[in-house]
Amino acid sequence: MSSDRCRFERCRRGAPMRYSGKGIDSGADVTKPATRIVELEDNELEEFVEIYAERKSKDYVEVERVGAANDKGRDVIGFLSRARHDGAWDLYQCKRKTRGSKLRIGEAMTELGKVFHHHAAGAYATLPRRYIFVSPRGIDGSLTTLLQNPSRIGKALLEAWDKHCRMRITARNPVELTSEIRASIERYDFTAVECLTAPKLVKDPAALPALVQVLGLPPGEAPEGETPDEISDIELTYLTQLQEVYAGSAGLDFATLEDVFTDPKFGEHLRIQRQRYYQACAFRDFHRDNTAARSVDVFKNDIYHLLIDVYNEAHPSPLARIDAVMKHTGAAPAGILGTLARPPVKQGTCHHLVSDGRIRWSP
């Protein structure tokens, strides 16, 4: 089973949550999303961070989850160019702690030491542009103080090398603080080091896809679509067919869509269809960004099955068929991951199906 399919199935099974953050609907369960993040297993936390990183920075050309025994200090990587480790990259280090425990300064020093060691050993040509600890349960006071004073981090790492790095970076051999490692630490800009906790992640809109796909939270209400004044090329398939239907119903030759818009009977009908089309676009784009990739396709296919029996019935005219399909589809329940779609979204999705060639409005 593909990873997208796994995520989709997990979303379908997930119970609704009550959450006051942007984009999440209310539900029956009072469990907070931050608590759910804290409870994630190691591999689930890495999957969460992978999805979060993909959404967080549009600058990444690739996000890669390493997360293995020999990860060389890397759990999730965001590459900013095809040069990969020869260019700029961000490192997300996941630290899942046991109940009641926070990330402490000693473990943080060990993880930072790994990066400088593996860089010196040639595992990656450049050091990370940003180094992000992801510690859902938080960090202790001494580490908080250190991260708030980044000019002190390098000195602290050098002083702690023998205690926290020398025997902890590799299982076999001690890692000495060589002149090369020391020079890299002294040159590095430690303002790049930060920490994300569960409460911080929950407040970040970029975490919404991960909250939906990994935790199974409902994605919330999609924004309303805005209908542009100018007709786009992507609309021409369904609009051209509507133009033909209107011409047949009126017994007139509507040479252009502008002729339809100025018609006292059909102009308003056409404007409503465009509004519905763009409502469906906004719904599609929101859920494509925030849910499993397959969810939008499943929703569209559900709409197809909602309308097809009415579509195939005998109707007095093509326009009567369109109106019957719109009335039926707008009233039928359909949505994504427990979030019901508004009537214009379902009706506009019918026009998307025309654009896809699955149904036709004109004979």
Side-chain angles (χ1 to χ4, degrees):
M1 185 179 290
S2 69
S3 60
D4 279 339
R5 182 62 180 170
C6 288
R7 291 172 185 167
F8 175 70
E9 291 299 333
R10 182 164 56 249
C11 289
R12 293 186 64 181
R13 295 195 298 268
M17 306 292 156
R18 175 168 291 127
Y19 170 49
S20 61
K22 182 179 180 180
I24 301 293
D25 279 342
S26 296
D29 194 330
V30 297
T31 305
K32 294 181 179 180
T35 302
R36 291 288 307 280
I37 295 174
V38 164
E39 295 171 348
L40 291 174
E41 298 295 330
D42 288 332
N43 63 326
E44 293 174 325
L45 179 58
E46 290 170 6
E47 180 186 11
F48 186 100
V49 172
E50 178 187 15
I51 298 169
Y52 167 78
E54 288 172 347
R55 177 66 181 272
K56 181 62 177 177
S57 178
K58 299 301 182 183
D59 294 333
Y60 296 148
V61 300
E62 181 183 359
V63 173
E64 180 179 334
R65 175 155 50 121
V66 181
N70 191 30
D71 61 16
K72 295 181 171 60
R74 303 160 299 170
D75 285 330
V76 177
I77 306 164
F79 292 111
L80 281 83
S81 73
R82 294 297 174 191
R84 298 169 65 82
H85 277 314
D86 285 336
W89 57 290
D90 294 343
L91 188 156
Y92 296 82
Q93 181 62 39
C94 302
K95 303 306 296 182
R96 176 183 175 270
K97 307 303 294 179
T98 56
R99 187 173 299 278
S101 177
K102 297 181 178 182
L103 178 63
R104 299 183 182 279
I105 195 166
E107 189 173 0
M109 292 296 102
T110 302
E111 294 300 333
L112 286 172
K114 288 179 183 179
V115 172
F116 289 99
H117 161 67
H118 289 296
H119 169 61
Y124 24 89
T126 58
L127 288 165
R129 181 191 68 161
R130 295 173 64 220
Y131 187 108
I132 305 102
F133 286 110
V134 183
S135 180
R137 293 186 184 275
I139 58 179
D140 72 358
S142 59
L143 181 55
T144 298
T145 300
L146 185 61
L147 295 185
Q148 290 174 346
N149 296 273
S151 63
R152 303 177 188 174
I153 299 176
K155 181 180 179 181
L157 179 56
L158 292 172
E159 292 175 349
W161 192 271
D162 285 346
K163 181 178 180 180
H164 295 299
C165 300
R166 185 173 180 273
M167 301 301 297
R168 296 184 182 182
I169 290 177
T170 66
R172 296 182 179 180
N173 301 309
V175 175
E176 305 295 345
L177 179 58
T178 64
S179 58
E180 183 179 1
I181 293 175
R182 177 182 290 275
S184 293
I185 293 172
E186 290 174 343
R187 288 195 303 265
Y188 193 66
D189 180 3
F190 283 93
T191 60
V193 181
E194 59 187 282
C195 183
L196 291 174
T197 61
K200 285 183 179 180
L201 285 166
V202 166
K203 294 175 184 178
D204 191 336
L208 179 56
L211 292 170
V212 172
Q213 296 178 47
V214 179
L215 299 185
L217 274 69
E221 185 72 21
E224 292 194 15
E226 295 184 5
T227 307
D229 294 333
E230 297 295 325
I231 291 174
S232 169
D233 289 345
I234 62 173
E235 298 180 75
L236 290 179
T237 299
Y238 85 92
L239 286 178
T240 300
Q241 292 186 32
L242 287 175
Q243 181 181 340
E244 294 175 9
V245 169
Y246 295 143
S249 296
L252 300 172
D253 181 16
F254 290 132
T256 66
L257 285 168
E258 187 58 35
D259 293 337
V260 181
F261 281 120
T262 58
D263 184 87
K265 179 178 180 181
F266 297 109
E268 183 61 18
H269 193 281
L270 181 57
R271 277 186 282 272
I272 290 172
Q273 305 317 309
R274 290 193 71 225
Q275 292 168 6
R276 291 169 173 171
Y277 177 85
Y278 279 102
Q279 291 286 346
C281 285
F283 183 88
R284 175 200 64 198
D285 294 345
F286 173 80
H287 287 285
R288 184 165 290 165
D289 286 344
N290 294 301
T291 65
R294 184 166 161 72
S295 299
V296 171
D297 295 331
V298 170
F299 171 75
K300 185 185 287 188
N301 200 49
D302 286 348
I303 296 298
Y304 173 81
H305 285 286
L306 280 176
L307 69 82
I308 195 61
D309 290 337
V310 173
Y311 176 88
N312 285 329
E313 290 174 355
H315 298 281
S317 67
L319 183 58
R321 178 173 64 179
I322 293 171
D323 289 340
V325 166
M326 290 293 160
K327 182 177 180 180
H328 175 77
T329 307
I336 290 180
L337 306 180
T339 302
L340 289 177
R342 293 174 289 105
V345 169
K346 294 176 286 183
Q347 293 163 328
T349 302
C350 300
H351 296 311
H352 288 217
L353 290 167
V354 173
S355 298
D356 292 346
R358 296 186 69 180
I359 60 173
R360 288 185 59 83
W361 291 143
S362 58

